[in-house]
Amino acid sequence: MIDTAHLYTGGQSEETIGEALSPIPDGCIVATKGGFGGAGRGRPEVLSAEIEQSLRALRTESIYLYYLHRVDPETPLEESLAAIKEYRDRGKIRHVGISNVDIDQIERARRVVPITAVQNHYNLSERTSEEVVDYCAGENIVFVPYYPLRAEGGRAIAGIAERHGATPQQITLAWLLRRSPVMLPIPGTLSPAHLKENVAAAKIELTDAEFEALR
């Protein structure tokens, strides 16, 4: 899974991904987002224009997962998602997500269109979405924590990492994966070696005591 957005590097992120992957191979999920930037960015006409640009940049006929990047303070959530739903109904978007939301907003969103994924800021230090994580698990909605590694684990994580022969970052990812069965972290990576290090975290099994020590 590759996560990007319309605004990342002024659209160059989507263009680079589109060039590298076109045609996007089976088994590869590319997720992107639109509607970021404050008041007015969630208007239906703005979102429609951004979706069209994303489709062109990614060189695809259908975006696998498309998020409403932020809830527009001046546009009802329902109106923003109705615009995205139109593209889903036409087959231009396969699955819909929503980002930086609380439970009430998720439930409102689900009355407009099925919600496959929720992407919120969440890591060992940032826990304001605890209830959202549990809600998503109960509703079988994928929870995607962004900035999953931007956290301080202190002495506890250092000791746990040493016992497992792992890095603190790997322990952080292992903790997130154990935290919920619907957790899908999206750590950034700049090299194949770093990618392999991140993926290896999935094989680390924390003990109950280790999990609670970090929790």
Side-chain angles (χ1 to χ4, degrees):
M1 177 176 161
I2 298 173
D3 182 272
T4 186
H6 174 268
L7 71 87
Y8 291 169
T9 59
Q12 290 183 357
S13 175
E14 288 182 328
E15 291 175 359
T16 299
I17 292 167
E19 181 179 358
L21 295 180
S22 182
I24 298 174
D26 292 340
C28 179
I29 294 173
V30 176
T32 193
K33 319 173 195 69
F36 182 95
R41 301 308 302 176
R43 295 196 308 270
E45 66 272 20
V46 173
L47 280 168
S48 294
E50 292 189 358
I51 292 170
E52 292 291 348
Q53 290 170 1
S54 292
L55 285 165
R56 289 194 296 271
L58 292 171
R59 304 186 186 187
T60 183
E61 295 296 320
S62 180
I63 296 170
Y64 191 93
L65 173 59
Y66 191 88
Y67 293 92
L68 177 63
H69 205 162
R70 291 290 190 278
V71 176
D72 183 344
E74 293 186 357
T75 305
L77 173 62
E78 290 78 4
E79 291 184 15
S80 299
L81 286 169
I84 296 174
K85 180 179 183 296
E86 287 185 14
Y87 279 84
R88 181 180 181 272
D89 292 344
R90 290 161 48 195
K92 296 292 185 178
I93 289 172
R94 294 178 62 182
H95 301 283
V96 178
I98 191 166
S99 183
N100 286 276
V101 288
D102 56 29
I103 292 174
D104 177 68
Q105 290 170 321
I106 299 170
E107 291 183 339
R108 286 171 56 194
R110 296 177 74 191
R111 289 193 282 270
V112 178
V113 64
I115 297 298
T116 297
V118 169
Q119 185 171 142
N120 281 7
H121 186 193
Y122 185 80
N123 54 47
L124 280 174
S125 298
E126 173 50 60
R127 304 285 189 83
T128 56
S129 288
E130 291 281 21
E131 292 183 355
V132 175
V133 172
D134 293 334
Y135 173 86
C136 287
E139 298 297 320
N140 200 30
I141 296 171
V142 178
F143 183 84
V144 182
Y146 68 86
Y147 295 145
L149 299 180
R150 188 174 292 181
E152 294 294 333
R155 293 181 179 178
I157 197 168
I160 293 169
E162 184 177 358
R163 286 197 295 274
H164 285 271
T167 66
Q169 292 76 20
Q170 287 176 315
I171 297 301
T172 297
L173 290 173
W175 186 90
L176 286 168
L177 292 172
R178 175 164 172 169
R179 170 64 181 84
S180 173
V182 297
M183 189 77 70
L184 179 59
I186 47 171
T189 183
L190 294 175
S191 69
H194 191 195
L195 175 62
K196 291 178 180 178
E197 178 182 304
N198 287 337
V199 172
K203 297 180 180 180
I204 297 173
E205 295 184 6
L206 301 178
T207 66
D208 292 344
E210 290 169 338
F211 177 78
E212 291 300 329
L214 295 174
R215 184 166 187 168

